[in-house]
Amino acid sequence: MTPAEITEGSWSVHITTPIQVPTYGGILCIPQLCGLIHHLMADFNFTPSDMSTFILTGIPGLEDAHAWISIPYATCYIFSLLGNFSILFVVVKEQTLRQPMYLLLCLLALTDISMSTCIVPKALGIFWFNLKVITVNGCLTQITFVNMAFAAQSGVLVAMGFDRYVAICNPLRYTTILTHTRIAMLGLLSLIRGIVLVLPVTLMLNQLPFCGNRIIFDIACQAIPVAKILCGDLAFYRVYGLVMILTLIGSDLMLIALSYSLIIRAVLRISSQKAHQKALNTCTAHISAMMTSYTSYLFALMKNRFGEGIAPHVHIFLASVFVLVPTMFNPVVYGVKTKELRDKMRKNFCRL
């Protein structure tokens, strides 16, 4: 503030010493926060007037350990890619594996690859090369594709539950009910549903104005952290987010539960204990994949909405678990639990 004279009644005070009020982009802020923001701006040549980019800080408080933290991230990502691409390679190469179950497994592998690839390369760019700047469009695109990949994955898991129901309850018509065309349609419907559910969130985030602070304390763009730096009314976003979650997860879990209730009823009608075991063993891999995916997502969702007191680096690690663990775990489970797939993978890799 410039020197000024303040008058009140019969007395007056003439101020000659300028008073510095900490601001950022014209907005009052705490001095320590202003210092951190301006320091980051200087590091990345980023100014409050630059309205087309964000800064992803990485893991707050652990910047010096980014190189070490990148090791488990890179390792999990490599194993995820190797496992999922191995499944795709073997199913495409082996004629005997082109059955509904394995075709759906290929769709699951594609969603796993998409989800991890949306997150990990950018995170490794931050850890290794300090590439913390991301455009607004790039940030919104990342949010869109991660959520679309999960929505598609959830749809594939529902289709796999229906696959197990047909295989156990109506085995003689298994290949006639689940034809290649219908499998492709199920995959396409899962993708379209993801686009329809997720795209409104991105369009809303793109329309509302952002506040002066464009720093995201994370390794990736996520809908909730980005929404927190919006200046507009978020009532629609909160309502729509809740409706989308209930529609997506609630309906999918209900359909999967219905499939398994019918499976259990059919299995209980079988008198042979050996037949019981064989029927249930065919569902083990799908149950494991389903529990891993939904548990990780629900845990991440609860953390984002109700974990205000959790440290930022804990938030980021838990979000990483949601992305990396299922994508790395699914191919391992199916490779171990499915004998035919395991044998074909061993045969092909022994040839290499």
Side-chain angles (χ1 to χ4, degrees), residues 158-174:
V158 173
M160 295 176 85
F162 178 68
D163 165 78
R164 292 299 83 204
Y165 160 72
V166 176
I168 293 172
C169 299
N170 204 347
L172 297 179
R173 299 185 58 202
Y174 178 59

Side-chain angles (χ1 to χ4, degrees), residues 14 41 60 68 78 94 123 145 177 193 201 208 214 230 240 243 252 268 284 287 293 301 323 333:
H14 184 68
M41 296 303 176
W68 292 104
I78 290 170
E94 294 290 337
F145 276 90
I177 293 175
R193 187 189 64 161
V201 175
L208 291 175
R214 287 175 166 252
L230 288 169
Y240 183 82
V243 171
D252 287 358
L268 291 177
T284 304
I287 293 172
S293 298
L301 182 67
V323 173
V333 169

Side-chain angles (χ1 to χ4, degrees), residues 229-248:
I229 60 176
L230 288 169
C231 296
D233 184 10
L234 298 179
F236 171 77
Y237 171 78
R238 294 191 182 97
V239 172
Y240 183 82
L242 181 61
V243 171
M244 186 184 74
I245 292 165
L246 293 175
T247 301
L248 181 65

Side-chain angles (χ1 to χ4, degrees), residues 74-84 327-328 331-332:
T75 302
C76 291
Y77 182 54
I78 290 170
F79 276 109
S80 174
L81 292 181
L82 287 175
N84 287 295
T327 59
M328 184 177 62
V332 175

Side-chain angles (χ1 to χ4, degrees), residues 92-147:
V92 169
K93 187 173 181 181
E94 294 290 337
Q95 187 73 30
T96 57
L97 293 182
R98 294 177 191 175
Q99 302 173 23
M101 173 183 173
Y102 299 109
L103 295 176
L104 288 170
L105 182 56
C106 287
L107 294 179
L108 183 65
L110 289 174
T111 62
D112 284 341
I113 293 169
S114 301
M115 190 179 299
S116 59
T117 302
C118 286
I119 299 292
V120 179
K122 180 59 181 176
L124 294 179
I126 295 172
F127 294 150
W128 291 341
F129 308 111
N130 212 33
L131 301 176
K132 299 185 177 183
V133 176
I134 185 170
T135 65
V136 172
N137 288 335
C139 186
L140 296 178
T141 300
Q142 189 177 48
I143 292 171
T144 301
F145 276 90
V146 170
N147 289 319

